[in-house]
Amino acid sequence: LLVATLIPAAALAEPKVELLAEVVFTSTSGNTIEPPTLIAMKQKLAQKVNYTTLRRLSQNKVVVSSSGLTEIKLPNQKVATLKLEKLEEGKARIRVTVSPLVTVYTLGREGSLYQAAGQHQGGDLWLVLSAAESAKAQHLATPPKAPTGT
């Protein structure tokens, strides 16, 4: 006896998230912020170091899944690897490795996370991860849930 079970394709789909990955050079010398959107990062990092120069070196959309590692090559000859550990209720738990550091972050549809990525040309590199615009747009397009009745 042969029994066929229909499983929706979505149930078989591997969990994955699309992120915007930026590599940013920072320094305490000079006075340049390129592009100006990095002012928010400067303010966030000021709790630890008062960087006066922030310059985006690269910006790419990457897909991070639970089955493999996503690699981001850094200009200081290091490689950052990303792996999705869990995706639940619109939040992704992502393992970020920039040897020798391994850190697990939780990232939602808003905000960014900052991972130190080593020294480079007299300053520091940072890996900045945030939800890709498509995820943010989807979140904004989702109507709020109706309140439950009393």
Side-chain angles (χ1 to χ4, degrees):
L1 181 61
L2 181 62
V3 178
T5 305
L6 296 176
I7 300 173
L12 296 175
E14 171 188 12
K16 56 187 171 184
V17 293
E18 188 174 89
L19 301 177
L20 185 63
E22 300 174 81
V23 177
V24 177
F25 170 80
T26 60
S27 174
T28 55
S29 62
N31 192 18
T32 304
I33 299 179
E34 295 175 5
T37 55
L38 293 177
I39 290 173
M41 179 181 175
K42 177 185 181 342
Q43 293 168 342
K44 181 75 172 175
L45 295 179
Q47 298 167 5
K48 296 181 181 184
V49 178
N50 186 23
Y51 291 113
T52 55
T53 293
L54 291 88
R55 189 172 63 247
R56 181 188 299 145
L57 302 179
S58 68
Q59 179 180 35
N60 297 294
K61 285 187 180 178
V62 296
V63 176
V64 181
S65 70
S66 57
S67 67
L69 297 176
T70 300
E71 292 189 345
I72 300 170
K73 294 185 188 303
L74 303 170
N76 60 356
Q77 308 308 311
K78 290 189 176 193
V79 175
T81 59
L82 312 175
K83 183 170 182 147
L84 179 64
E85 289 199 341
K86 187 175 186 180
L87 182 60
E88 185 175 75
E89 297 177 11
K91 293 183 181 178
R93 192 164 71 191
I94 301 165
R95 182 170 23 116
V96 180
T97 304
V98 181
S99 186
L101 299 173
V102 178
T103 310
V104 177
Y105 294 98
T106 299
L107 182 64
R109 291 182 179 102
E110 301 294 325
S112 298
L113 59 89
Y114 306 100
Q115 172 66 55
Q119 295 181 338
H120 182 64
Q121 297 180 345
D124 298 316
L125 288 180
W126 288 85
L127 178 62
V128 182
L129 300 173
S130 51
E133 288 302 318
S134 59
K136 291 179 185 178
Q138 182 181 18
H139 176 65
L140 294 174
T142 305
K145 291 182 180 178
T148 55
T150 54

